[in-house]
Amino acid sequence: MGDSAFLHFFTTELFGQWRRQAGVVLLSTILIFLLASTLFVSSSLRHSLQSALKSESDFTVQRIRGDHLLPVPMEWVDEIAALHGVDRVAPRVWGRYYTEPRGHYFLIVGIDLLEDQSQRALQKLIQGIDLRRFLQGDRMLVGPGAARWMREHFYRGSFSFLNPGGQFIKVTLDSILPRQSSLVADDMIVVPIETARKILGLREDEATDITFNVPNDDEWANVQNKVLAMHYDLRAVSKRESRAAYSRLFDFKGGFFLVLFLIVLSAFALILYQRYSQVYSREKRAIGILRALGWSIRDVLRLKLYETLSVVIAAFLLGTTLAYGYVFGLGAPLLRNIFLGSAEASTVPPLVPVMDFSVLATIFLLYGVTFLAAVIFPVWRVSVSDPKEAML
Amino acid sequence: MKIIQIYGLNRHFDNGEERFHALRDIDLEVEKGECVILHGVSGSGKTTLLSIVAGLDQPSSGEVLVEGEAIAKLPDRHLSRFRGRHIGMIFQHYNLLEEFSVRDNVSVPLIPLGLKMDEVERRCDAAMQLANISHKARQSAGRLSGGEKQRAAIARALAADPEIVLCDEPTANLDRANARRFLEILGQLHDLGKTILIATHDPIFEELDFPVRVVEMEDGRIVR
């Protein structure tokens, strides 16, 4: 088949029927946009969480009685540090702080000068801050989301926290954490460790939890068992367990959307199949004419394959571009809340752009193959029938 | 030289337990350059016979040779190419692709032949000129009058320069003036040495000013 003549005919057909093609492209674009948005949000959150977890310590030790988390005594730090194979043992003072109006949570994180900051992510965040000056009083560094909330509620230079004892602790705003602090720091408030204890109602010999590293991977299980044996009310959670828990959560939500998408895609394929096999008599007639004028079944299928691929590629490019803009430009309104939960709605972190090409390939294959099958199979059926009948 | 040879041709259609015989024991030979008119009322089997000669339908039994080729036995790809190169079809309802221009319609049989674009253009121009439709080359087929559609269909049938032109009730949807113009074009085709087979019951073909053979058909048989 003369390729230039064929391509000319193909483009004439494609653009000559643009109204019909535009409808299919529009529907396909919406489908791909929905799927790609979901996968972009999911990949971005997964990536941010994994980055955050990567900078976390290997183990976190908590004190738990019944279903209540209790402050950890500081002497546990020395007990854990005495174990062989354990490194960088550090107490942490942190906690969620609830405030009205509109039920809002902040994450209070205490730091001190001497502490070997267990959270490497936190270390990065406070780079460039004059810690000596910062630690001298009740001062705070706030994440972008927390800063926005305070601005919206007219807290300008300071904020008064109400501690469990009913006392107000006035803390002065020092500066705002960089926007890139993303998922881990959006609603975070970093304060000197003593200020954190006051806000959270902890004594001087208490911490929220203790973190430590075990450099030898093979020793993880061994050390974890030894730590667990120290106290009956001690819980030691490894980074791997946290990562698995987060993965399960996002796999569940991502999987839920994937199932929804497959249902919609199946419905769409069914509509296409119906259209090409029954409703679209004009299409049948055109195929019959081509066959009667010397086009073989292969020629007809080639034409329809090119046409369908053009629609699939156009819809794919449009859908993924729009989804990229919606997720990483606009911050995925609505969809983001479904993934993160509506309680976090006012301080949801910005979504960090992550481009996972395997995800894009999956969308393309999943959608493209279904679309092609839904169109090509009925076209093939018409092509192999008597051309005279197709023209009637 | 015999260009179409049909021997003992039968075509029947089964509808449940009933069998309808569209063609019975047809024997027909057509010489190269001859013009044959298949004449008969609707349902006499003219169109079925044309469809079988074009390879658009399969005989139930019998032998059909076109240019010495048993077309019923050719696989799809070869049959399609054979039809594209050797047979031009003019249908009763023109069967143009309405949203395409006249030029694009005329190019349809040329595309599978593997010609270069400039050769396709050249052949389209020649065919449109012969059918006197060049002035409407860019117009979409859906906007043409009945006579213009007929001429576009003629140009399309001639684009691949086939030896055989098959016409199925070509004047059925034309007024008298356009039907006479069609006869003039047939005269030109005859002068070019084309073999022409026309299925019709229109008496206007008696006005043709070149020798024709009239084959009378009735109930699927050739009666005269």
Side-chain angles (χ1 to χ4, degrees):
Chain A
M1 198 182 265
D3 277 348
S4 54
F6 175 80
L7 286 176
H8 169 78
F9 187 82
F10 153 69
T11 48
T12 307
E13 193 195 51
L14 191 67
F15 295 111
Q17 300 175 33
W18 68 269
R19 271 178 225 273
R20 181 165 66 90
Q21 308 290 11
V24 178
V25 169
L26 183 71
L27 269 177
S28 307
T29 303
I30 293 170
L31 265 181
I32 291 188
F33 167 77
L34 289 174
L35 178 66
S37 301
T38 308
L39 293 175
F40 284 159
V41 170
S42 162
S43 321
S44 176
L45 290 177
R46 193 191 301 265
H47 181 265
S48 295
L49 274 166
Q50 280 178 350
S51 304
L53 286 171
K54 200 187 264 182
S55 63
E56 281 284 310
S57 301
D58 296 343
F59 285 91
T60 304
V61 170
Q62 296 167 326
R63 186 178 207 185
I64 187 162
R65 281 187 191 164
D67 61 346
H68 289 285
L69 280 173
L70 299 174
V72 177
M74 289 295 278
E75 62 257 28
W76 285 14
V77 174
D78 297 330
E79 290 175 34
I80 294 169
L83 291 172
H84 285 294
V86 170
D87 186 25
R88 287 175 180 265
V89 186
R92 294 193 307 187
V93 175
W94 66 276
R96 306 253 290 171
Y97 181 88
Y98 178 77
T99 183
E100 289 290 354
R102 295 191 209 154
H104 190 89
Y105 282 100
F106 294 123
L107 180 67
I108 308 290
V109 176
I111 57 169
D112 68 14
L113 191 61
L114 300 174
E115 184 189 348
D116 177 16
Q117 300 299 342
S118 55
Q119 296 184 70
R120 270 161 274 170
L122 190 58
Q123 267 184 323
K124 273 189 201 167
L125 290 177
I126 58 174
Q127 265 176 1
I129 304 282
D130 180 358
L131 274 184
R132 283 185 191 283
R133 184 188 58 82
F134 176 72
L135 294 171
Q136 273 171 3
D138 289 335
R139 309 174 81 88
M140 61 182 170
L141 305 168
V142 299
R148 193 167 55 247
W149 186 91
M150 286 183 182
R151 210 168 39 246
E152 282 167 7
H153 293 86
F154 309 106
Y155 293 100
R156 294 296 174 197
S158 65
F159 184 82
S160 292
F161 294 89
L162 185 63
N163 78 359
Q167 291 173 304
F168 280 103
I169 317 291
K170 187 177 178 183
V171 182
T172 311
L173 176 67
D174 188 277
S175 55
I176 297 168
L177 293 169
R179 190 170 164 72
Q180 297 88 313
S181 50
S182 89
L183 199 62
V184 281
D186 203 56
D187 62 350
M188 188 186 278
I189 296 177
V190 180
V191 292
I193 199 158
E194 288 315 318
T195 309
R197 282 196 172 102
K198 279 193 274 181
I199 294 169
L200 299 169
L202 297 177
R203 294 199 311 262
E204 276 186 25
D205 59 347
E206 287 178 336
T208 308
D209 55 25
I210 299 166
T211 60
F212 64 91
N213 286 347
V214 178
N216 181 357
D217 284 2
D218 296 338
E219 286 294 317
W220 275 40
N222 190 24
V223 170
Q224 189 173 20
N225 286 336
K226 283 184 185 170
V227 171
L228 285 171
M230 284 177 174
H231 299 278
Y232 73 96
D233 52 357
L234 181 152
R235 183 167 78 171
V237 184
S238 77
K239 188 161 71 176
R240 286 176 198 154
E241 289 163 343
S242 306
R243 187 176 294 164
Y246 280 124
S247 289
R248 274 197 297 278
L249 180 67
F250 284 109
D251 286 349
F252 168 74
K253 288 187 173 177
F256 176 71
F257 276 98
L258 198 64
V259 169
L260 274 183
F261 172 77
L262 286 176
I263 293 168
V264 176
L265 185 67
S266 308
F268 182 62
L270 205 68
I271 292 167
L272 273 176
Y273 184 84
Q274 288 272 0
R275 201 187 75 167
Y276 275 88
S277 55
Q278 293 169 15
V279 185
Y280 222 64
S281 57
R282 201 161 130 187
E283 189 84 19
K284 281 185 181 177
R285 185 174 165 271
I287 292 170
I289 292 171
L290 295 178
R291 296 276 292 119
L293 296 173
W295 287 51
S296 66
I297 295 167
R298 216 167 105 176
D299 299 332
V300 173
L301 288 181
R302 187 180 169 209
L303 177 73
K304 292 296 161 188
L305 185 74
Y306 277 38
E307 185 186 308
T308 311
L309 273 177
S310 305
V311 170
V312 167
I313 291 168
F316 177 75
L317 291 176
L318 261 173
T320 48
T321 308
L322 287 174
Y324 192 91
Y326 167 71
V327 173
F328 301 123
L330 302 176
L334 295 178
L335 195 57
R336 184 176 56 177
N337 297 346
I338 295 172
F339 269 87
L340 291 174
S342 57
E344 303 292 327
S346 57
T347 57
V348 273
L351 293 161
V352 181
V354 174
M355 196 47 90
D356 187 344
F357 288 99
S358 66
V359 166
L360 291 177
T362 307
I363 300 171
F364 188 77
L365 286 178
L366 201 65
Y367 171 75
V369 170
T370 313
F371 195 114
L372 275 175
V375 174
I376 295 297
F377 182 66
V379 165
W380 171 78
R381 269 190 12 186
V382 174
S383 302
V384 294
S385 66
D386 185 349
K388 198 162 51 97
E389 277 178 26
M391 282 188 290
L392 292 175
Chain B
M1 181 199 165
K2 292 179 178 56
I3 196 163
I4 299 170
Q5 297 160 278
I6 301 168
Y7 305 113
L9 173 66
N10 287 285
R11 178 68 170 119
H12 56 76
F13 299 96
D14 290 324
N15 184 12
E17 288 182 8
E18 281 183 42
R19 173 166 283 189
F20 171 71
H21 291 272
L23 294 173
R24 298 169 195 254
D25 300 322
I26 301 287
D27 292 313
L28 180 68
E29 288 178 340
V30 179
E31 295 289 332
K32 186 171 168 59
E34 193 179 7
C35 178
V36 175
I37 293 176
L38 303 172
H39 192 258
V41 294
S42 291
S44 59
K46 313 180 296 285
T47 299
T48 307
L49 182 55
L50 277 192
S51 297
I52 290 175
V53 172
L56 295 176
D57 195 3
Q58 296 283 320
S60 303
S61 64
E63 191 175 19
V64 180
L65 302 173
V66 179
E67 295 202 46
E69 196 81 59
I71 57 164
K73 292 173 185 163
L74 290 175
D76 173 70
R77 200 166 154 77
H78 289 95
L79 175 60
S80 300
R81 291 288 179 272
F82 183 87
R83 190 160 55 226
R85 281 181 201 281
H86 301 280
I87 300 169
M89 294 279 298
I90 299 169
F91 303 95
Q92 179 182 350
H93 299 290
Y94 321 122
N95 285 338
L96 296 169
L97 300 169
E98 304 266 306
E99 61 276 18
F100 281 65
S101 70
V102 170
R103 175 181 285 280
D104 288 329
N105 267 284
V106 174
S107 74
V108 169
L110 301 174
I111 291 166
L113 299 183
L115 304 172
K116 289 189 175 163
M117 194 63 196
D118 50 356
E119 177 64 9
V120 170
E121 296 279 329
R122 194 189 64 72
R123 289 198 188 197
C124 284
D125 288 340
M128 285 191 293
Q129 203 167 0
L130 187 67
N132 193 23
I133 193 73
S134 300
H135 59 292
K136 298 280 181 179
R138 289 177 182 276
Q139 191 152 329
S140 70
R143 293 182 170 201
L144 299 175
S145 68
E148 288 166 340
K149 281 182 180 175
Q150 176 71 290
R151 276 180 275 150
I154 292 167
R156 185 180 63 184
L158 300 176
D161 195 23
E163 291 83 6
I164 301 165
V165 179
L166 306 178
C167 312
D168 184 17
E169 300 285 3
T171 54
N173 294 311
L174 297 180
D175 56 28
R176 287 294 94 178
N178 276 313
R180 289 205 170 85
R181 266 185 221 124
F182 179 71
L183 297 191
E184 287 168 22
I185 293 171
L186 278 187
Q188 286 176 276
L189 297 183
H190 179 72
D191 292 342
L192 289 168
K194 305 287 181 198
T195 304
I196 305 166
L197 233 72
I198 305 164
T200 185
H201 61 271
D202 190 341
I204 197 168
F205 286 91
E206 290 168 12
E207 296 177 19
L208 282 170
D209 57 359
F210 58 87
V212 294
R213 174 155 60 113
V214 178
V215 173
E216 286 291 342
M217 292 189 71
E218 202 176 293
D219 292 333
R221 296 177 199 272
I222 292 177
V223 291
R224 184 159 56 89

